[in-house]
Amino acid sequence: MHEATRNGSQEWGEQRLLAELVELSVETAPRRFALGLLDIQQDDGAVVGWGLDFGNEAIAYVPTGGSSQRLIRAESADRARRLVVRRADVRLIWLDASVSKEP
């Protein structure tokens, strides 16, 4: 009986810690974004990359065709956008709402 109580208590403690870890993961998750290319003359657009903004840096994944891709690490999502294509109309599209870190 003592063993069952200890195992039950251990299981409850594990569940509590896992719940806290899930909450922490949500609170500290990076903000997702996409990079979209607009071609007004062709009346077209395309998603050219996706990224994660960590607040103090951003990482963007940009497929370049076939099996190749670029991984861009920059100071911000906007800087990553500017590094993708310098002369094209690449837009930063936020996929997640902005989350204020202030209480």
Side-chain angles (χ1 to χ4, degrees), residues 33-90:
F33 64 90
L35 300 172
L37 175 64
L38 281 183
D39 188 341
I40 302 298
Q41 293 178 350
Q42 297 295 319
D43 193 30
D44 199 10
V47 175
V48 296
W50 300 266
L52 298 171
D53 180 52
F54 294 91
N56 58 347
E57 74 175 331
I59 298 172
Y61 167 78
V62 183
T64 57
S67 62
S68 61
Q69 67 275 335
R70 286 176 60 193
L71 193 59
I72 298 169
R73 184 175 174 189
E75 304 85 43
S76 67
D78 189 57
R79 177 74 177 134
R81 176 195 63 82
R82 287 182 273 146
L83 291 172
V84 170
V85 182
R86 296 175 190 242
R87 287 182 239 167
D89 189 2
V90 176

Side-chain angles (χ1 to χ4, degrees), residues 17-38:
L17 286 173
L18 182 57
E20 289 178 13
L21 183 56
V22 167
E23 187 177 322
L24 179 62
S25 298
V26 169
E27 290 173 0
T28 60
R31 190 173 176 199
R32 299 175 306 147
F33 64 90
L35 300 172
L37 175 64
L38 281 183

